[in-house]
Amino acid sequence: MKSFEPLTDSVFYIMASLTEPRHGYAVMSLVEETTGGSFVIGPASLYTIIKKLLKEQLIVLHDESDSRRKVYMLTDVGRQTLEADIARRKVMIEMAEKGLERREVCDEEH
Amino acid sequence: MKSFEPLTDSVFYIMASLTEPRHGYAVMSLVEETTGGSFVIGPASLYTIIKKLLKEQLIVLHDESDSRRKVYMLTDVGRQTLEADIARRKVMIEMAEKGLERREVCDEEH
DNA sequence: TATGTTATATCACAAAGTGATATAACATGA
DNA sequence: TCATGTTATATCACTTTGTGATATAACATA
């Protein structure tokens, strides 16, 4: 079971948006909305990454009935990959927070 | 107050290692160790990023007394930047987990 | 004084991300 | 019906970011 980890931020955001069926443009809007505009994925990045995720079979084309919209969704492997990366990211945050806490104590002592 | 966010994973790992004084090689080892080898920063990436962080004043040279080692550390701005990125990353994870939870429910219902 | 480890550094290249732009379907109101 | 705006996908040329390979040297030790 080959792993595509670690996921980059852009890839993570897109995959996190595709836990349920969504078309590309909706992913773009969702990321901008949920991050309050602090992370923006433009069309160039979006469709580049979607193409790559399709090739790696982390997402699939879910529905193409609409003449314009292409709806994608995570595959099982995609979901597992996302879950694994969530775990990695939690460790990351823990690591950073531990360091910052220790530093706060030092500041007070000074 | 210009922001350098969002931080890439590599930059985040390095900055998270520099909440206390550490030299480059130690940062490299620490990241590999705390991630269980799932994220490796080689010397090329390490020193490239350190150079960039110095230029942006997110870290400073803390001590150069040793003939070999160069010890770096986060500046106040660097710490604030790291804190802001931790917050962003928490939202990211929340976003992903909410999506996955919802999906689990759907699977059960089916 | 040879060997391994620690440590910093850079080059040439590869991978990832993006601003600009193109295209077109649909929605709407004038 | 047709101009305007929005939704939507797509790609090109470019920049930014990351890295494998390699070089250099100080120190530890045996």
Side-chain angles (χ1 to χ4, degrees), chain A residues 7 9 12-13 17 19-20 34 73 79 86 88-90 92 95 97 99-100 102-103 107, chain B residues 6-7 9 12-13 17 19-20 34 73 79 86 88-90 92 95 97 99-100 102-103 107:
Chain A
L7 307 179
D9 282 5
F12 184 95
Y13 277 121
S17 304
T19 50
E20 51 191 282
T34 57
M73 201 182 157
R79 198 152 105 204
I86 289 172
R88 178 182 71 86
R89 284 167 185 276
K90 282 183 175 171
M92 260 175 114
M95 177 192 177
E97 284 188 330
L100 288 170
R102 216 174 305 143
R103 179 52 36 186
D107 285 351
Chain B
L7 308 179
D9 282 4
F12 184 95
Y13 278 120
S17 305
T19 50
E20 51 190 283
T34 57
M73 200 182 157
R79 197 152 106 204
I86 289 171
R88 178 183 69 87
R89 283 167 187 274
K90 283 182 175 173
M92 258 176 115
M95 179 191 174
E97 284 189 327
L100 287 170
R102 216 175 304 141
R103 178 53 38 188
D107 286 350

Side-chain angles (χ1 to χ4, degrees), chain A residues 4 7 10-25 27 45-63 70-82, chain B residues 100:
Chain A
F4 296 96
L7 307 179
S10 299
V11 171
F12 184 95
Y13 277 121
I14 291 174
M15 286 179 68
S17 304
L18 292 177
T19 50
E20 51 191 282
R22 256 198 199 90
H23 59 94
Y25 199 85
V27 169
S45 309
L46 179 78
Y47 293 107
T48 304
I49 291 169
I50 282 180
K51 199 188 281 179
K52 191 195 131 209
L53 291 176
L54 280 173
K55 209 181 72 188
E56 289 175 355
Q57 304 194 56
L58 296 177
I59 63 172
V60 277
L61 192 54
H62 181 260
D63 185 14
K70 287 193 182 173
V71 175
Y72 303 98
M73 201 182 157
L74 278 189
T75 60
D76 281 345
V77 178
R79 198 152 105 204
Q80 283 158 30
T81 303
L82 182 62
Chain B
L100 287 170

Side-chain angles (χ1 to χ4, degrees), chain B residues 22-25 61-64 66 68-72:
Chain B
R22 257 199 197 89
H23 59 95
Y25 200 84
L61 193 55
H62 180 260
D63 184 14
E64 210 177 6
D66 196 304
R68 286 195 302 167
R69 296 174 173 179
K70 286 193 183 173
V71 175
Y72 303 97

